Amino acid sequence: MRKLHIERLGHRGEGIARDGNARVFVPYALPGETVTAEVEGDQARVVEIIEASRERIAPFCPHYAHCGGCAVQALAPSAYAEWKRGLVVTALRNAGLSADVAPLVDAHGAGRRRVTFHARMEKGHARVGFMAARSHEMVEIGSCPLLVAELAGALPAARAIAQILAARGKPLDLAFTATLDGMDVDLRGAGPLEEHETNALIKAAEAHDLGRLSNHGRLVALRRPPLVQIGPARVPVPPGCFLQATEAGEQAIAARVLEATRGAKRVADLFCGVGAFALRLVQGARVSAYDSAVEAVEAMFAAARGAAGLKPLDGAARDLFERPLSAQELAPFDAVVFDPPRAGALAQAGEIARSQVKTVVAVSCSAQSFARDAAILLKGGYSVTRIVPVDQFRHSPHVEIVAIFSRGEGQKRPKRGLLG
């Protein structure tokens, strides 16, 4: 047993203390607290809080500190917002960049509209919940207060689906999305289904009023086509497709994208997904949209065809990691928006930096990869206009970032060799 003083919160939301000369990570402890803890290597488990932080508040979820879904739920709102903003500031500083970061935007809204539950089988019984922090142990939960009301039936449905497949003994993931026409579920990990399993799953979909149930993207039951509203369009979402975690988050990010690109006549939307930005941008500009997810791009175009009064929308399915749009291909555009996965857009950022596009909007879900891509743009002659952190994953260490870069008339691109 050790007595530890918590110095600060780390980028994963864990308290950081010193045990002699060693750094120790203490989940669920807050800065300024003194705790007794069991220490194993660089990890510690709080046994008792001797002196609590003045910023400590009561957590609202009974699963907090057991389920790994929330890392920071006991920190007062103002201190929490500053910590989360600080994740972006620190990532930029670690990349050697100095830039102003705006206050955190709370975009939790009505709650998260998508969630993935894990199912584990024990002696023919399905247990459903989330994984514990830094562990392969699954924590069975009764409810999650962070989800939208439309997902209130998700856990009972997940248990019913998992129990049908419990005899297989396989670990399962069940991805739920709230849509305009009910819950959409994509089952992963089961493999090919037997006929009796398919029939039982169809009955479960009806019993739990699911809009659609898929197995690794393959349709099992379709009772109502799942649609989401994006700007003026209703989008038929592919099974398990990417959406921003909250509707409020999508709207907050999209509003800043639209503001930054106002007046642009041609816009490129890179890593466009189902068109969260493209289907809004195309109300005022001609848009070319690209993403490697074929079904997502097809859904975006289908939605655009069903909406009235839009400017031209073109583009294609394209792997922007392997084949980024070149500086030459970007030449016709007044603005570029890019929203890559967590790994960032190293190759694409390099091509944008070599281009003469006047306005670039970077959207990111990783402070570290954002800082790396931002450094590439700045080295290429862009200046940063604004960086806004957006919180749609409340109580977690995940933060969305919207950053606006501009190239003035006097800011010319460097020679290719300067960018590596």
Side-chain angles (χ1 to χ4, degrees):
M1 199 80 68
R2 303 275 209 286
K3 185 176 180 180
L4 301 174
H5 178 72
I6 310 302
E7 299 175 354
R8 59 187 176 87
L9 282 186
H11 72 278
R12 298 177 71 166
E14 299 162 317
I16 297 179
R18 289 280 172 183
D19 183 22
N21 293 324
R23 187 171 61 172
V24 180
F25 298 94
V26 192
Y28 312 116
L30 302 179
E33 293 188 329
T34 302
V35 304
T36 55
E38 295 176 345
V39 179
E40 184 175 345
D42 65 352
Q43 299 295 309
R45 183 183 68 85
V46 173
V47 174
E48 181 185 4
I49 300 175
I50 299 172
E51 184 178 349
S53 166
R54 290 179 295 178
E55 301 290 349
R56 178 172 284 276
I57 60 175
F60 56 83
C61 179
H63 301 294
Y64 180 64
H66 303 289
C67 152
C70 290
V72 184
Q73 204 182 90
L75 185 60
S78 60
Y80 166 82
E82 192 52 39
W83 165 70
K84 206 150 201 185
R85 173 184 174 274
L87 296 177
V88 181
V89 174
T90 300
L92 290 170
R93 183 173 63 243
N94 290 343
L97 305 179
S98 177
D100 289 335
V101 177
L104 184 73
V105 174
D106 181 4
H108 179 72
R112 299 185 195 174
R113 60 179 173 180
R114 59 181 180 86
V115 63
T116 298
F117 297 116
H118 305 294
R120 298 295 182 266
M121 313 308 168
E122 293 183 4
K123 298 179 180 180
H125 172 70
R127 299 175 62 245
V128 177
F130 295 126
M131 306 308 291
R134 291 198 178 192
S135 171
H136 295 294
E137 177 191 355
M138 202 204 68
V139 178
E140 198 165 7
I141 64 171
S143 63
C144 178
L146 296 182
L147 305 182
V148 293
E150 291 81 357
L151 289 176
L155 271 165
R159 291 192 187 95
I161 293 168
Q163 191 58 49
I164 290 169
L165 302 170
R168 289 175 169 242
K170 291 184 175 182
L172 304 175
D173 289 342
L174 301 104
F176 281 74
T177 302
T179 75
L180 295 173
D181 296 289
M183 292 186 292
D184 182 35
V185 187
D186 190 32
L187 171 66
R188 304 163 190 172
L193 300 173
E194 301 289 342
E195 183 178 356
H196 73 277
E197 293 170 326
T198 298
N199 291 336
L201 289 172
I202 291 171
K203 291 180 181 178
E206 184 171 349
H208 291 272
D209 195 28
L210 304 182
R212 179 177 64 188
L213 174 61
S214 304
N215 178 35
H216 287 272
R218 297 186 65 179
L219 185 64
V220 174
L222 178 63
R223 302 179 65 246
R224 295 179 298 276
L227 303 170
V228 295
Q229 188 78 35
I230 296 180
R234 289 197 165 195
V235 183
V237 293
C241 83
F242 173 80
L243 293 172
Q244 296 293 346
T246 71
E247 189 173 352
E250 180 181 293
Q251 291 173 353
I253 297 168
R256 285 158 178 82
V257 169
L258 291 172
E259 180 183 7
T261 58
R262 185 182 293 123
K265 294 182 179 180
R266 289 204 63 184
V267 180
D269 183 4
L270 310 180
F271 307 96
C272 63
V274 294
F277 308 137
L279 291 171
R280 291 177 167 95
L281 289 164
V282 79
Q283 295 177 89
R286 178 177 175 180
V287 177
S288 297
Y290 300 88
D291 195 286
S292 61
V294 176
E295 289 186 343
V297 173
E298 290 175 348
M300 175 187 64
F301 285 131
R305 288 192 294 271
L310 302 183
K311 301 283 187 179
L313 174 64
D314 59 35
R318 176 166 168 170
D319 187 338
L320 297 172
F321 295 105
E322 296 294 328
R323 287 201 308 127
L325 262 67
S326 68
Q328 184 176 0
E329 290 175 292
L330 293 170
F333 298 103
D334 306 306
V336 170
V337 180
F338 69 107
D339 181 13
R342 184 165 296 277
L346 180 63
Q348 187 61 77
E351 292 298 331
I352 295 171
R354 285 186 273 271
S355 78
Q356 285 297 300
V357 177
K358 289 186 178 180
T359 301
V360 175
V361 186
V363 179
S364 176
C365 60
S366 166
Q368 287 71 35
S369 63
F370 163 74
R372 181 202 65 201
D373 293 347
I376 293 171
L377 295 178
L378 294 173
K379 189 175 180 181
Y382 282 91
S383 59
V384 62
T385 303
R386 188 166 175 78
I387 299 175
V388 181
V390 177
D391 189 18
Q392 61 174 337
F393 287 98
R394 190 185 284 175
H395 309 301
S396 84
H398 301 300
V399 60
E400 298 284 332
I401 301 161
V402 185
I404 302 160
F405 298 85
S406 61
R407 188 191 292 283
E409 293 299 326
Q411 294 170 309
K412 299 301 182 181
R413 64 183 180 187
K415 293 181 180 179
R416 189 177 184 92
L418 294 179
L419 291 173

